[in-house]
Amino acid sequence: MRERINLEDTALNDFGGNSYTYYDENGNLKEVEGDTSIFIYPGYKFKCVDNLITNFHLPKSTLVMLVSALSTKENILKELIAKVSFCCATDESRPILKGCLLQTQEGKLTATALDGFRMAYGYCETKIGENDLKIVCPARTLNEISRMLDGEEDVKIFADKNRLSVEIKDTLITSRLYVGEFVKKENIFPVEFTTTVIVNKNQLLQSIERASVLTRADKNNLVVFDIKNGKV
């Protein structure tokens, strides 16, 4: 028999602001009806459960996202995406490289992208839940998210192993994620370098821009650096 519980008379508050009683006076589990939030916001104290039964399904609703949750500012996330998304691959030879690796650790959100020739890496400060995040998000999704970021309000990010949801103001963007092992940047960065050069950033950028005028998209698109006699 289905039992209706008056949520106003119960004592346990959940992260969505509702109150529930899960057990009766004899310690038996009770069925509960009521509205709740399906998202876990940063700062929520995660708990362990023995079993979870849900009827949430797509496309009417997203899956329950119990793995990772974090938030950051719109302008900070937009800058991070701009730093790395241009390095994502565009061909189908290794589909996972068409995405960007997003990870959280020790209060930072890091982003890594590479296409086999170049690699970009960046990070920003973030508020995270108790679980670390590690996903590969399609570059196209990140670019669409970036177009919607035009302020300094909080952006909430939720993820499980296959799906990403980003809450921007009154809009919720949902995307599937790439599944597979992303290239470890630690295996690409050399432990030490044989040559170290310190240059003026603006002068270097101007030189590259002038040299790039003669490059082509299909071939002969290399810019060669010649370092000798104190010059580049």
Side-chain angles (χ1 to χ4, degrees):
M1 179 177 179
R2 190 179 182 87
E3 180 179 1
R4 178 80 181 190
I5 297 176
N6 185 353
L7 300 182
E8 300 298 328
D9 297 334
T10 55
L12 182 61
N13 294 322
D14 75 347
F15 58 86
N18 300 310
S19 298
Y20 297 95
T21 296
Y22 297 102
Y23 297 92
D24 59 21
E25 61 277 5
N26 297 320
N28 297 319
L29 184 65
K30 302 176 70 172
E31 187 174 0
V32 176
E33 285 188 13
D35 295 329
T36 185
S37 171
I38 63 172
F39 292 122
I40 296 176
Y41 288 87
Y44 175 75
K45 299 299 182 181
F46 287 84
K47 303 175 179 65
C48 294
V49 296
D50 294 327
N51 297 282
L52 175 65
I53 300 176
T54 175
N55 64 346
F56 288 123
H57 60 281
L58 297 173
K60 295 296 183 180
S61 64
T62 59
L63 298 175
V64 181
M65 296 183 177
L66 298 174
V67 176
S68 299
L70 62 100
S71 69
T72 186
K73 299 294 184 182
E74 288 185 50
N75 57 325
I76 294 176
L77 181 59
K78 186 179 184 73
E79 182 180 356
L80 179 62
I81 293 174
K83 287 180 178 179
V84 300
S85 61
F86 70 93
C87 258
C88 293
T90 56
D91 61 79
E92 298 290 342
S93 58
R94 295 189 66 181
I96 198 168
L97 295 186
K98 296 177 66 178
C100 176
L101 175 64
L102 301 177
Q103 289 182 280
T104 58
Q105 191 174 17
E106 298 179 351
K108 291 183 179 180
L109 171 63
T110 65
T112 306
L114 56 93
D115 61 4
F117 296 96
R118 55 189 180 172
M119 180 175 68
Y121 169 80
Y123 70 89
C124 68
E125 302 296 327
T126 183
K127 300 175 183 177
I128 62 175
E130 293 186 351
N131 288 4
D132 287 333
L133 170 77
K134 185 177 181 181
I135 59 173
V136 181
C137 182
R140 183 176 178 181
T141 298
L142 290 178
N143 290 330
E144 291 298 327
I145 292 172
S146 180
R147 292 188 182 97
M148 300 182 63
L149 302 174
D150 57 0
E152 297 183 1
E153 297 184 23
D154 285 338
V155 179
K156 298 181 176 67
I157 302 173
F158 315 92
D160 59 17
K161 65 178 182 179
N162 296 319
R163 189 170 298 277
L164 171 77
S165 287
V166 179
E167 184 179 317
I168 306 171
K169 298 184 178 68
D170 58 350
T171 302
L172 182 67
I173 302 174
T174 302
S175 172
R176 292 188 65 84
L177 300 172
Y178 288 118
V179 179
E181 188 66 26
F182 199 83
V183 178
K184 295 182 179 179
K185 65 178 184 298
E186 294 80 7
N187 296 336
I188 298 178
F189 279 139
V191 178
E192 58 184 15
F193 297 87
T194 57
T195 304
T196 301
V197 180
I198 300 176
V199 299
N200 181 283
K201 183 180 71 173
N202 292 331
Q203 292 179 0
L204 178 63
L205 291 176
Q206 292 173 6
S207 299
I208 294 174
E209 288 177 359
R210 289 195 294 270
S212 299
V213 172
L214 300 178
T215 62
R216 298 172 57 182
D218 54 347
K219 59 181 179 179
N220 298 327
N221 60 349
L222 301 178
V223 176
V224 179
F225 286 79
D226 188 10
I227 305 173
K228 62 182 179 182
N229 299 327
K231 296 181 179 181
V232 178

